[in-house]
Amino acid sequence: MEVIIQPTADAAAELVTALIDQALRAKPDLVLGLATGRTMEAVYARLVRRHREQGLSFKRCRTFNLDEYVGLPVGDPASYRSYMNHNLFAHVDIPFAHTHLPDGMAADLAAACDEYERCISKCGGIDFQLLGIGNDGHIGFNEPLSALQSRTREKALTPATVKQNSPLFADPSRMPRRALTMGIGTILDARRCVMLVTGAGKASVLAQAVEGPITAMISASALQLHPHCTVVVDEAATADLKATDYYRWIFENEPEWAPFRAKPKN
Ligand code: F6R
């Protein structure tokens, strides 16, 4: 795992966008794992801009979202399908049939989860998985005590998650209490993971996930097991991290990051 610190939330979103851009141009038929949530809106807005202004194409890309609420019609404005259509899919050249989310309206939810896993495998597995972290340490909707080898399945949401996400519903009491989510094992199978974490409110959970022990209490800590995981954070989120000098050194000195460093002004 590596932690990359950027000065602001905008700079962190810009770097994550640049990483997706780089991956997509290198492999136009990229299988891209996507997250929703407030943090990701800045990334999707930038991807849309790059599509419009810099020819970034999603035509051959296939996407798999991490999660979807159970029992919420896809047309509901608070569904993750609506979120993705609104923030990304409707504004880029991705064919609708290439976009996938778990089917939270399926009559047989367990079968829908198995089918989701099969579909990811049929596409060759996820090349690049975008992630955010919840206040309770979740990635996707892998709430505390999710098995570190779990696959796509139904999960009950924690009160912390309900508190975090219910303001996004016109009537907060209508937020579903269950969701379908890729498992931690599903996420760890991705060839590359990139987690974006911004804001002082995430500082404590970020430190637990990155520098604490690997524990099912903080699902994101399982990313320490991944061979190629980058965590991109803003200054505000670093408040509780210990090894920030090392993280800064990595970004300033490792050749991999040279294309992403600000060019010195003449
Ligand atoms: C949702 C997802 C979640 C969010 C997390 C952060 O698809 O993957 O793990 O990334 O809850 O959400 P925000 O960005 O709203 O704080």
Side-chain angles (χ1 to χ4, degrees):
M1 174 183 277
E2 57 192 348
V3 177
I4 299 297
I5 302 173
Q6 296 292 285
T8 63
D10 276 349
E14 184 63 31
L15 177 58
V16 169
T17 307
L19 291 174
I20 297 171
D21 182 316
Q22 181 192 52
L24 203 46
R25 290 186 203 265
K27 187 174 188 259
D29 61 349
L30 192 77
V31 181
L32 186 54
L34 295 174
T36 59
R38 299 168 186 88
T39 314
M40 294 306 148
E41 288 173 12
V43 174
Y44 297 140
R46 284 172 168 79
L47 286 174
V48 170
R49 204 175 313 138
R50 282 178 188 239
H51 167 69
R52 289 189 179 143
E53 295 171 7
Q54 297 170 28
L56 183 66
S57 175
F58 295 77
K59 220 176 237 165
R60 294 175 55 205
C61 167
R62 280 145 310 157
T63 64
F64 288 89
N65 266 81
L66 286 162
D67 42 16
E68 180 58 281
Y69 292 110
V70 166
L72 197 62
V74 290
D76 189 291
S79 75
Y80 283 171
R81 166 54 80 181
S82 294
Y83 171 105
M84 289 310 305
N85 290 349
H86 176 75
N87 286 292
L88 182 67
F89 299 153
H91 311 291
V92 297
D93 57 349
I94 193 163
F96 182 80
H98 286 197
T99 66
H100 305 87
L101 286 92
D103 181 3
M105 290 298 285
D108 185 339
L109 292 171
C113 291
D114 291 347
E115 180 52 28
Y116 203 61
E117 289 276 337
R118 268 195 299 277
C119 195
I120 293 171
S121 296
K122 251 191 270 165
C123 287
I126 291 169
D127 293 306
F128 187 116
Q129 178 66 57
L130 182 61
L131 297 161
I133 190 170
N135 295 335
D136 63 359
H138 70 215
I139 44 176
F141 272 139
N142 289 287
E143 301 289 39
L145 297 189
S146 287
L148 300 187
Q149 294 188 322
S150 49
R151 312 301 306 185
T152 304
R153 70 213 183 289
E154 185 179 1
K155 280 299 286 182
L157 303 176
T158 60
T161 297
V162 173
K163 191 169 166 215
Q164 179 189 317
N165 286 6
S166 58
L168 302 173
F169 286 74
D171 172 0
S173 69
R174 276 188 50 254
M175 178 179 159
R177 297 313 197 244
R178 306 183 77 79
L180 302 187
T181 180
M182 277 187 207
I184 299 173
T186 320
I187 293 167
L188 293 180
D189 280 351
R191 291 177 192 95
R192 181 169 197 191
C193 288
V194 173
M195 184 162 78
L196 173 61
V197 185
T198 57
K202 296 277 175 74
S204 165
V205 77
L206 171 71
Q208 293 176 72
V210 168
E211 295 180 340
I214 296 173
T215 165
M217 282 304 289
I218 301 285
S219 293
S221 68
L223 294 170
Q224 294 175 34
L225 295 166
H226 195 279
H228 193 187
C229 176
T230 305
V231 182
V232 179
V233 308
D234 67 349
E235 280 294 345
T238 64
D240 294 342
L241 292 177
K242 292 193 183 74
T244 48
D245 287 352
Y246 175 60
Y247 308 148
R248 288 183 216 285
W249 188 92
I250 293 285
F251 184 68
E252 290 308 325
N253 294 282
E254 285 294 283
E256 176 196 353
W257 295 105
F260 304 101
R261 292 196 279 268
K263 314 264 178 308
K265 292 194 181 78
N266 295 326

